[in-house]
Amino acid sequence: MNTSLRDKWVFITGASAGFGAEGALHFAREGAHVVIGARRVERLEAVAAECSKAGAASTHFHELDVACTDNVKTFVEWLKGLTPRLDVLVNNAGGAHGIDTVAEGKDEDWEAMIESNFLGLMRVTRECLPLMMENSGSTIINIGSIAGRVAYEGGSVYCGVKAAEKQITQSLRLELNGTGIRVGTLDPGLAETEFSMVRFKGNQEKSDKVYEGLHPLVAQDIAEAMIWMATRPPHVCIDEILIKCTAQAAVHKTHRETS
Ligand code: NDP
Ligand code: 8X3
């Protein structure tokens, strides 16, 4: 029997935009209690309002910076005041900063990527695990990337942290074996969100170029996969999923229409 998400407690990091915001909406439509965090609280407020309208059992938001241990601890203390149990954790917060070669890379970009994608995932998971331990059939979904599977020029640190995400996912699955908690990685390819605007530091032209001439994934495609992973019967663990748009045959091979 599939797992119903009705009245289940779901926490999504990085839910002020992109996959996280769309994922929140999808879990809301399933009747879950939706808890969201990110740094831009006014964005969270808007996402939470949408979730309430969409049918969430309840909706809760709070400022969260996964790059800061104290901030994560404060968030999870607040979360514990809402619920003694968590059924689904989606470690989504993160992104790429810059596309410099190793030779030209900037410490601040490298550190931002390591802090959010890598250490952020670790911090949030560590603090949330006590809420999931007694909770067979619960699900941890880590958002990886095609970049964690295949490297590309200018991707060194981003590819590195997403490769690390895969190893963390595997370690965690081993460590949690026997608890009934399932752990999976959901790895998207090219998807049009705010990802490229963040990577290119607000340069719209460079960001648009990434998606030019092809039909990229959109946040809904990834949100649907989150729901699918979290609603499998409790004995089924979706270890990993790679989702690419049809035009992206591989990292280095995309078909683009020219006008
Ligand atoms: P967006 O830029 O649209 O969303 C990123 C989200 O992460 C925002 O809500 C942002 O919120 C949040 N975030 C970033 N840093 C932090 C932080 N330190 N603390 C808390 N929240 C943070 O991008 P996507 O939706 O595309 O990205 C979501 C995830 O998917 C990322 O991990 C990304 O690496 C991954 N991914 C993206 C792909 C793509 O092509 N779009 C493909 C493969 C993977 P705020 O700024 O308000 O804190
Ligand atoms: C985002 C996909 O290929 O731009 O993780 O790195 S890619």
Side-chain angles (χ1 to χ4, degrees):
M1 204 175 71
N2 289 355
T3 306
S4 165
L5 291 168
R6 183 155 299 281
D7 291 325
K8 293 284 167 66
W9 282 84
V10 178
F11 166 33
I12 307 180
T13 69
S16 61
F19 303 157
E22 193 64 30
L25 202 55
H26 276 65
F27 281 105
R29 290 189 188 126
E30 299 289 319
H33 296 274
V34 177
V35 182
I36 53 178
R39 293 165 301 180
R40 290 170 294 177
V41 178
E42 68 296 341
R43 292 278 208 103
L44 289 179
E45 192 171 4
V47 174
E50 292 280 306
C51 288
S52 299
K53 270 193 255 160
S58 67
T59 314
H60 312 268
F61 65 94
H62 192 287
E63 192 249 333
L64 170 67
D65 183 355
V66 300
C68 170
T69 298
D70 285 348
N71 185 290
V72 172
K73 283 183 190 286
T74 302
F75 185 99
V76 176
E77 279 311 306
W78 166 80
L79 174 61
K80 285 179 186 162
L82 300 173
T83 174
R85 62 179 279 157
L86 194 58
D87 300 287
V88 181
L89 166 63
V90 183
N91 278 310
N92 165 75
H97 297 273
I99 192 154
D100 292 321
T101 58
V102 173
E104 310 228 305
K106 321 264 183 310
D107 279 1
E108 62 269 26
D109 286 341
W110 294 352
E111 284 161 11
M113 286 186 275
I114 292 165
E115 282 292 343
S116 57
N117 297 279
F118 182 177
L119 294 176
L121 184 154
M122 296 292 288
R123 292 182 181 106
V124 170
T125 306
R126 179 181 60 197
E127 300 308 319
C128 287
L129 273 179
L131 291 169
M132 305 185 86
M133 270 314 181
E134 306 299 326
N135 208 357
S136 186
S138 59
T139 311
I140 298 176
I141 300 173
N142 294 329
I143 304 299
S145 171
I146 190 174
R149 297 169 180 246
V150 184
Y152 54 84
E153 303 90 329
S156 55
V157 172
Y158 183 65
C159 295
V161 293
K162 290 303 189 185
E165 175 275 333
K166 231 154 288 318
Q167 298 300 329
I168 296 164
T169 299
Q170 289 181 25
S171 293
L172 196 56
R173 191 180 304 121
L174 292 166
E175 289 166 11
L176 294 177
N177 187 227
T179 65
I181 303 172
R182 55 227 176 137
V183 190
T185 179
L186 170 50
D187 301 348
L190 276 178
E192 191 162 12
T193 59
E194 294 177 13
F195 176 86
S196 291
M197 282 294 276
V198 173
R199 167 168 255 176
F200 294 113
K201 303 174 194 302
N203 187 321
Q204 186 76 57
E205 207 182 322
K206 284 187 180 169
S207 173
D208 289 347
K209 270 247 171 293
V210 175
Y211 312 107
E212 202 171 76
L214 54 75
H215 189 161
L217 297 174
V218 293
Q220 183 182 342
D221 301 317
I222 303 311
E224 285 171 0
M226 290 178 197
I227 299 294
W228 186 72
M229 289 172 82
T231 52
R232 292 312 83 214
H235 69 285
V236 178
C237 176
I238 307 300
D239 278 19
E240 39 190 88
I241 305 186
L242 172 64
I243 304 181
K244 301 191 271 87
C245 64
T246 309
Q248 185 177 34
V251 163
H252 287 98
K253 186 164 174 62
T254 47
H255 176 76
R256 295 180 193 262
E257 302 289 342
T258 44
S259 52

